[in-house]
């Protein structure tokens, strides 16, 4: 371990590569997996909803398990874990979008198995990556800067997916039919998978651990009780849960919103994803000066007020493209400014726990946070698929039943608006922090 204390720009860039890799695949699964399952691979909506939910139940075991391993073996194992899992991460992500010609039951089993295995690999690489920030810097300013690079990597990966996915699968597949899209999707995701594996290797090589915690030999249940007694850690996990409910609703339903409410095509949905991602990226640099001036919790409340206003504007705008663009622009900018604050607050909460409990359980603390975010995504995906079913969505149909519009609005506007209100309550409950 090196003695240098200042974070170098190349280290921050290397750290950001991890979220770039994660969010290429996260962007594919959050924005396009439901669409791929329903409109390209032809899975029934009921099966899709259960696949999304069951995968998260399995993760309930994977995330804490890898966090416990990290705690027992010490922080220096993290680069080795990332290096070991870089290629399996890309491979399993590719298999999620490989449409094998199977029977209807075989398709469901294949889709469920590949997504569950990918979720397990994602847990095993992303959980140590989340804990890495605490071990690279103890400075609050340094961590905000580090997480700003993380969010820029996140948005860069999401932007790449938003810009390329629909045009790429059409071009690579040679047409607009479901069969052509299946082939184009497989080739496209294969290229993404190779890039993701390379970026994870950059993380393993380029990040320096300066504050590695000693191995923790404490009983995991004792450690968990200590973590649950840490009020800030509990609040930070609630914040993450409701944040990712909103993200899952925003990106998981945007293609359907574009088609049903705005009367456009899948390409309009892809353009909206690109627009949102660009503004999310643009908002990140404003986080550090705002946090310095207002403090992390107060800055978050300001951003949440802007998001709430944006969702109300969106509800009023309805099918108006102008109103939608203005409201979604405000929403994305506010989310971009706020996004690094979630990880900064989590790091502060983990630090709060160390002096009181002497556990140093960064691995378990971050593993549960990772699981919470994926649980939010899985539950929201399940709910969204149920909304489509209740609205009698017709897979690939140009004409949709009139009752579907209300269910699309419920999933795209009202569900995430409720999540914004819950986040505001969490931040209002945050005490003892600026």
């Amino acid at each position: 371990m090196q003695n240098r204390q200042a974070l170098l720009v190349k280290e921050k860039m290397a750290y950001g590569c991890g979220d770039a890799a994660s969010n290429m695949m996260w962007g594919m699964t959050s924005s396009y997996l439901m669409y791929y399952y329903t409109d390209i691979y032809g899975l029934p909506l009921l099966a899709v909803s259960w696949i999304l939910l069951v995968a998260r139940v399995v993760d309930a075991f994977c995330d804490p398990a890898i966090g416990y391993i990290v705690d027992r073996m010490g922080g220096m194992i993290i680069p080795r874990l990332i290096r070991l899992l870089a290629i399996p991460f890309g491979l399993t992500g590719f298999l999620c979008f490989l449409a094998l010609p199977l029977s209807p039951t075989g398709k469901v089993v294949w889709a469920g198995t590949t997504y569950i295995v990918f979720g397990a690999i994602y847990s095993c690489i992303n959980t140590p990556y989340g804990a890495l920030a605490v071990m690279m810097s103890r400075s609050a300013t340094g961590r905000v800067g580090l997480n700003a690079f993380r969010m820029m990597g996140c948005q860069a990966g999401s932007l790449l997916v938003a810009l390329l996915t629909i045009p790429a699968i059409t071009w690579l597949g040679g047409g607009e039919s479901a069969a052509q899209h299946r082939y184009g999707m497989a080739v496209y995701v294969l290229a993404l998978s190779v890039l993701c594996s390379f970026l994870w290797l950059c993380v393993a090589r380029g990040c320096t651990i300066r504050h590695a915690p000693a191995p923790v030999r404490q009983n995991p249940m004792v450690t968990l009780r200590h973590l649950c007694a840490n009020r800030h850690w509990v609040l930070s996990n609630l914040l993450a849960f409701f944040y990712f409910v909103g993200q899952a609703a925003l990106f998981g339903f945007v293609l359907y919103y574009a088609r049903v409410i705005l009367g456009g095509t899948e390409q309009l949905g892809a353009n909206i994803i690109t627009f949102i991602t660009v503004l999310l990226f643009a908002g990140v640099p404003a986080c550090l000066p705002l946090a310095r001036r207002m403090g992390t919790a107060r800055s978050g409340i300001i951003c949440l007020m802007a998001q709430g206003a944006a969702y109300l504007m969106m509800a009023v705008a309805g099918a108006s493209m102008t109103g939608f663009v203005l409201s979604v622009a405000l929403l994305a900018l506010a989310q971009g400014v706020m996004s690094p604050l979630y990880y900064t607050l989590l790091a502060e909460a983990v630090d709060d726990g160390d002096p009181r409990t002497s556990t140093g359980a960064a691995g378990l603390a971050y593993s549960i946070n990772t699981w919470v975010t994926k649980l939010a995504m899985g539950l929201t995906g399940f709910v969204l698929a149920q909304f489509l079913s209740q609205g009698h969505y017709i897979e690939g149909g140009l004409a949709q039943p009139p009752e579907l519009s209300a269910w699309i609005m419920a999933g795209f506007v009202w569900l995430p608006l409720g999540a914004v209100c819950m986040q505001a309550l969490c931040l209002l409950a945050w005490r003892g922090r600026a």
Side-chain angles (χ1 to χ4, degrees):
M1 184 173 63
Q2 300 182 35
N3 292 323
R4 290 178 289 110
Q5 295 301 308
L7 286 170
L8 303 177
V9 172
K10 66 178 183 180
E11 290 181 87
K12 295 178 184 179
M13 293 177 64
Y15 185 69
C17 286
D19 239 26
S22 282
N23 280 276
M24 286 180 199
M25 286 305 175
W26 187 277
M28 287 301 300
T29 55
S30 63
S31 298
Y32 295 101
L33 188 66
M34 187 185 298
Y35 168 74
Y36 165 76
Y37 281 161
T38 58
D39 288 50
I40 296 179
Y41 202 29
L43 300 183
L45 277 169
L46 183 62
V48 172
S49 66
W50 282 105
I51 288 171
L52 297 175
L53 184 61
V54 170
R56 299 292 75 84
V57 172
V58 173
D59 282 345
F61 299 95
C62 295
D63 285 292
I66 190 65
Y68 179 64
I69 291 170
V70 169
D71 287 336
R72 284 193 64 84
M73 302 194 69
M76 295 307 295
I77 194 178
I78 290 179
R80 294 199 296 274
L81 273 174
I82 292 175
R83 190 179 300 112
L84 178 67
L85 295 171
I87 292 176
F89 177 89
L91 177 61
T92 54
F94 163 65
L95 293 178
C96 284
F97 292 89
L98 180 62
L100 296 184
L102 303 171
S103 66
T105 301
K107 287 182 177 182
V108 173
V109 172
W110 170 252
T113 301
T114 53
Y115 188 48
I116 288 169
V117 173
F118 170 70
I121 298 294
Y122 186 99
S123 297
C124 292
I125 196 169
N126 207 61
T127 293
Y129 171 71
L132 186 59
V134 174
M135 303 173 193
M136 291 178 68
S137 175
R138 292 291 190 191
S139 161
T141 301
R143 285 176 180 173
V144 172
L146 194 63
N147 284 304
F149 270 83
R150 177 179 183 173
M151 286 300 98
M152 286 190 283
C154 163
Q155 305 307 342
S158 300
L159 178 60
L160 179 67
V161 167
L163 280 171
L164 296 183
T165 300
I166 295 298
I169 64 176
T170 301
W171 181 69
L172 292 170
E176 298 284 352
S177 71
Q180 290 168 319
H181 274 191
R182 282 195 293 271
Y183 177 79
M185 181 70 83
V187 176
Y188 170 66
V189 178
L190 177 61
L192 283 184
S193 300
V194 172
L195 178 56
C196 288
S197 295
F198 171 76
L199 290 173
W200 276 121
L201 292 173
C202 290
V203 176
R205 182 178 179 85
C207 294
T208 302
I209 295 180
R210 295 172 173 80
H211 310 281
V216 176
R217 304 301 181 188
Q218 192 174 53
N219 184 298
M221 296 308 297
V222 174
T223 302
L224 184 60
R225 283 199 300 270
H226 287 157
L227 287 171
C228 290
N230 182 343
R231 184 166 166 274
H232 285 152
W233 180 79
V234 173
L235 285 172
S236 65
N237 279 284
L238 289 172
L239 270 170
F241 179 85
F242 290 113
Y243 170 71
F244 280 98
V245 166
Q247 289 291 288
L250 179 65
F251 287 101
F253 245 27
V254 67
L255 294 177
Y256 303 100
Y257 190 90
R259 291 166 59 189
V260 176
I261 304 298
L262 300 178
T265 63
E266 288 88 354
Q267 184 58 55
L268 174 62
N271 292 342
I272 293 170
I273 293 173
T274 302
F275 180 65
I276 292 171
T277 306
V278 169
L279 292 179
L280 284 168
F281 187 89
V284 171
C287 176
L288 183 56
L290 181 64
R292 282 175 174 167
R293 182 176 180 83
M294 303 296 297
T296 50
R298 283 194 289 270
S299 298
I301 290 173
I302 292 171
C303 292
L304 288 171
M305 291 172 63
Q307 291 177 51
Y311 277 119
L312 292 175
M313 289 168 56
M314 199 179 297
V316 172
S320 167
M321 183 61 70
T322 300
F324 174 78
V325 169
L326 291 175
S327 57
V328 84
L330 175 61
L331 175 67
L333 283 171
Q335 288 186 346
V337 174
M338 188 173 179
S339 55
L341 299 180
Y342 293 99
Y343 300 101
T344 303
L345 289 168
L346 178 61
E348 291 176 357
V350 172
D351 280 350
D352 280 350
D354 286 349
R356 293 199 301 271
T357 65
S358 299
T359 62
L364 189 60
Y366 276 89
S367 70
I368 294 174
N369 181 262
T370 302
W371 172 71
V372 163
T373 64
K374 290 191 290 182
L375 177 64
M377 297 287 287
L379 287 173
T380 306
F382 177 82
V383 170
L384 295 180
Q386 292 295 323
F387 281 3
L388 289 178
S389 179
Q390 292 296 319
H392 305 102
Y393 174 72
I394 302 170
E395 293 86 349
L398 295 178
Q400 298 290 345
E403 64 268 24
L404 181 62
S405 295
W407 289 101
I408 297 292
M409 287 294 291
F412 194 77
V413 176
W414 301 117
L415 177 64
L417 177 59
V420 166
C421 294
M422 295 304 297
Q423 291 176 71
L425 291 176
C426 291
L427 285 181
L428 290 172
W430 195 277
R431 293 289 184 267
R433 289 285 178 186

